[in-house]
């Protein structure tokens, strides 16, 4: 990990992570291996993650996976980050509950742009982001995600412009004024 706060018994509060260059060792395109480094892995409430340059990680910014059991991931902002070479997801607010804002981030050469699997009720605002060259879907919403609001995002990729392969129901999603561009050609990986 680059920055890690994974203690679910004492979750963090009010972290301000800004103006950093966090460089990992991963390279593009994606290669399958068992090494899954994360640049910023956090839980708790009240965090601000902004103005960082993050490149070469499996996941750039991620909510700690264990939070689902105790619901400690809420009330945070992730904005104005420049993320590239994220071989799983650029941003994963996975298992968050409410008051999540992800905006004005640039994500380039990433496997998935924003993965929200799941969000428990929201609201989770995803707005003003630019996502370029994803190998998979720009926006991921499986595992019963609800309470998502997508506004003014732009995504460009080879293959289908937008799809959601979730096998579970997605509810309470608002999708307004987003530009999603694709080539219509499939990509093998």
């Amino acid at each position: 990990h680059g920055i890690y706060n994974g203690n679910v018994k004492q979750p963090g509060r009010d972290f301000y992570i800004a103006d950093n260059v966090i460089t990992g060792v991963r390279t593009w395109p994606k290669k399958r291996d068992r090494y899954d480094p994360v640049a910023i892995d956090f839980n708790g409430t009240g965090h601000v993650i902004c103005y960082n340059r993050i490149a070469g990680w499996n996941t750039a910014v991620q909510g700690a996976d264990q939070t689902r059991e105790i619901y400690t991931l809420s009330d945070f902002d992730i904005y104005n980050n420049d993320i590239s070479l994220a071989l799983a997801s650029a941003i994963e607010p996975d298992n968050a509950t409410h008051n999540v804002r992800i905006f004005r981030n640039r994500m380039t050469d990433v496997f998935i742009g924003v993965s929200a699997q799941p969000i428990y009720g929201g609201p989770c605002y995803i707005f003003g982001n630019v996502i370029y060259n994803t190998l998979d879907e720009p926006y991921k919403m499986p595992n019963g995600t609800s309470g998502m609001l997508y506004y003014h995002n732009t995504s460009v990729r080879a293959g289908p412009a937008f799809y959601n392969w979730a096998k579970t129901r997605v509810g309470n999603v608002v999708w307004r004024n987003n530009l999603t561009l694709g080539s219509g050609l499939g990509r093998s990986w």
Side-chain angles (χ1 to χ4, degrees):
H1 288 81
I3 297 170
Y4 179 68
N5 167 244
N7 184 348
V8 296
K9 293 185 176 163
Q10 294 180 330
R13 185 172 184 85
D14 302 322
F15 289 173
Y16 181 70
I17 301 170
D19 299 313
N20 299 289
V21 175
I22 306 170
T23 305
V25 298
R26 300 303 295 263
T27 58
W28 192 259
K30 180 179 176 93
K31 293 181 180 136
R32 300 202 184 271
D33 64 25
R34 299 180 72 197
Y35 180 56
D36 294 330
V38 177
I40 300 172
D41 195 350
F42 68 99
N43 66 25
T45 64
H47 305 310
V48 175
I49 300 168
C50 61
Y51 298 102
N52 298 292
R53 170 73 178 104
I54 304 169
W57 296 86
N58 205 55
T59 300
V61 180
Q62 155 181 300
D65 293 334
Q66 303 89 347
T67 56
R68 180 188 327 205
E69 297 162 13
I70 59 171
Y71 301 102
T72 61
L73 190 61
S74 66
D75 305 303
F76 61 88
D77 295 305
I78 301 171
Y79 65 92
N80 285 347
N81 295 288
D82 186 7
I83 298 169
S84 62
L85 308 176
L87 305 187
S89 300
I91 300 174
E92 292 183 0
D94 296 355
N95 303 309
T97 56
H98 58 278
N99 295 330
V100 174
R101 291 158 302 276
I102 298 168
F103 58 99
R104 291 192 313 255
N105 297 286
R106 180 172 58 182
M107 299 163 247
T108 307
D109 295 335
V110 298
F111 191 69
I112 293 169
V114 178
S115 171
Q117 60 166 353
I119 298 296
Y120 295 106
C124 179
Y125 301 94
I126 312 292
F127 63 93
N129 297 289
V130 175
I131 304 170
Y132 179 76
N133 194 29
T134 61
L135 285 177
D136 203 357
E137 56 199 327
Y139 312 96
K140 182 177 178 184
M141 296 177 275
N143 299 329
T145 290
S146 67
M148 301 297 297
L149 298 106
Y150 294 89
Y151 296 106
H152 311 291
N153 297 290
T154 300
S155 62
V156 179
R157 69 179 302 271
F162 178 80
Y163 61 97
N164 188 17
W165 56 265
K167 294 179 180 167
T168 56
R169 188 174 289 262
V170 175
N172 300 318
V173 175
V174 177
W175 183 268
R176 297 276 190 272
N177 201 34
N178 296 289
L179 176 63
T180 56
L181 301 172
S183 67
L185 303 173
R187 176 176 279 189
S188 61
W189 40 270

